[in-house]
């Protein structure tokens, strides 16, 4: 949308329109879902003016009203399903990881959470016919976990049929048996993963806002952003806010961060994947004492919760703990040099 179209909103002149666009509010829908406080701070305007702008944007974007269930069902047809390339796990998730949703993967150290994020950053770029979303990925790295070498391993570890289809989709010449071709393909995959390292929780929140801007810039491109990954979501919050005295502030900031991520998913039909750390519950006498951190804030905001548990050797148990329309269940996969593989 051109900036001068924003000036049709009440209280928005050229200067305010410039500030809104610079802050990422470059269309009616992004303004419509903002809060007056956010818009007031970003555009340096009063709360009352911000409310008027938001209400006008809601009318223009036709959001905020009631819809029939049939209309919502039709809109849900736009939701993409990102395959794990493991039939048992895809079946567990109703076809794969959904766009416009937050998928949380939690588990203890070494369970394979970062392996999942790397694999999804590869899978999201695959053609639709091969279970991908033919989109790029944004990777917010909070624990220095991103390794381009793993992307290399996982691209090369894809089935030959998928690799050949991907070459054809990208109109790249050569054969998957040719090393030079494979190096070019790996480089192409890496080029479509936008990585940023978060140094603290405030920087992490800022990067979520930058991710929204980046998704907006690529919305109409050949490779729109179809996945935003945060690995891990809670590491900085856990380290910086220690003790019960700081729990409320931590949860408020975490809640805002999650809603910023959710907004990206809703606005740009993007899948949001976050990993989460765990703690051991000492009061648990029976069953698994491992519990995800983040409390009810994260539990309520995550659309899908997946618990990764170590098993024998390279086996991992993928347990669906919570989903709005799916039954709980378990699947088995392997974490190998070539990536995530069926049992």
């Amino acid at each position: 949308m051109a900036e001068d179209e924003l000036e049709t909103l009440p209280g928005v002149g050229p200067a305010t329109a410039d500030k809104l666009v610079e802050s990422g509010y470059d269309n009616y829908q992004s303004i419509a879902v903002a809060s007056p406080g956010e818009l007031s701070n970003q555009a340096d305007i009063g709360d009352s003016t911000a409310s008027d702008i938001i209400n006008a944007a809601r009318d223009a974007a036709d959001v905020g009203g009631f819809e029939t269930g049939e209309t919502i069902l039709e809109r849900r047809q736009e939701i993409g399903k990102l395959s794990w390339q493991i039939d048992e796990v895809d079946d567990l998730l109703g076809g794969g990881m959904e766009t416009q949703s937050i998928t949380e993967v939690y588990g203890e150290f070494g369970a394979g959470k970062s392996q999942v994020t790397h694999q999804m950053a590869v899978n999201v770029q695959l053609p639709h016919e091969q279970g991908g979303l033919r989109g790029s990925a944004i990777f917010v790295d909070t624990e220095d976990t991103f390794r381009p070498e793993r992307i290399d391993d996982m691209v090369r570890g894809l089935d030959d049929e998928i690799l050949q289809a991907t070459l054809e989709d990208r109109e790249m010449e050569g054969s998957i048996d040719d090393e030079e071709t494979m190096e070019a393909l790996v480089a192409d995959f890496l080029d479509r993963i936008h990585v940023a390292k978060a140094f603290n929780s405030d920087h992490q929140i800022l990067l979520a806002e930058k991710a929204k801007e980046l998704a907006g810039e690529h919305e109409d491109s050949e490779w729109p952003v179809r996945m935003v990954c945060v690995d891990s979501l809670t590491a900085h919050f856990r380290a910086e806010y220690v003790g019960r005295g700081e729990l409320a502030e931590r949860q408020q900031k975490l809640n805002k961060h999650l809603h910023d991520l959710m907004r990206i998913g809703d606005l740009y039909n993007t899948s949001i994947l976050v990993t989460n750390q765990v703690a051991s519950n000492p009061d648990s006498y029976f069953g698994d004492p491992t519990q995800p951190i983040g409390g009810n804030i994260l539990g309520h905001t995550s659309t899908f919760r997946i618990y990764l548990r170590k098993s024998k050797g390279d086996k991992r148990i993928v347990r669906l703990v919570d989903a709005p329309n799916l039954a709980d269940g378990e699947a088995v996969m392997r974490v190998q040099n070539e990536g995530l593989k069926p049992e």
Side-chain angles (χ1 to χ4, degrees), residues 132-154:
L133 298 176
R134 204 182 187 280
S136 58
I138 293 175
F139 197 111
V140 179
D141 186 0
T142 72
E143 295 186 280
D144 193 26
T145 54
F146 182 77
R147 294 292 183 271
E149 296 86 355
R150 285 300 288 147
I151 301 297
D152 189 322
D153 293 338
M154 290 174 172

Side-chain angles (χ1 to χ4, degrees), residues 277-307:
Q277 299 182 343
V278 296
S280 182
N281 182 5
D283 297 330
S284 177
Y285 293 101
F286 302 99
D288 192 340
T290 304
Q291 298 292 330
I293 68 170
N296 291 330
I297 291 289
L298 184 50
H300 290 310
T301 310
S302 298
T303 317
F304 300 90
R305 301 195 95 177
I306 297 172
Y307 175 29

Side-chain angles (χ1 to χ4, degrees), residues 85-100:
Q85 300 297 332
I86 301 170
D87 290 343
E88 193 177 351
V89 177
D90 285 343
D91 290 343
L92 182 69
L93 298 178
M97 201 167 71
E98 285 190 0
T99 59
Q100 300 181 35

Side-chain angles (χ1 to χ4, degrees), residues 176-194:
I176 59 174
D177 298 320
D178 177 48
E179 178 59 25
E180 190 173 331
T181 301
M182 286 305 299
E183 287 180 0
L185 183 60
V186 169
D188 207 45
F189 268 89
L190 286 169
D191 195 45
R192 305 192 197 284
I193 304 174
H194 309 275

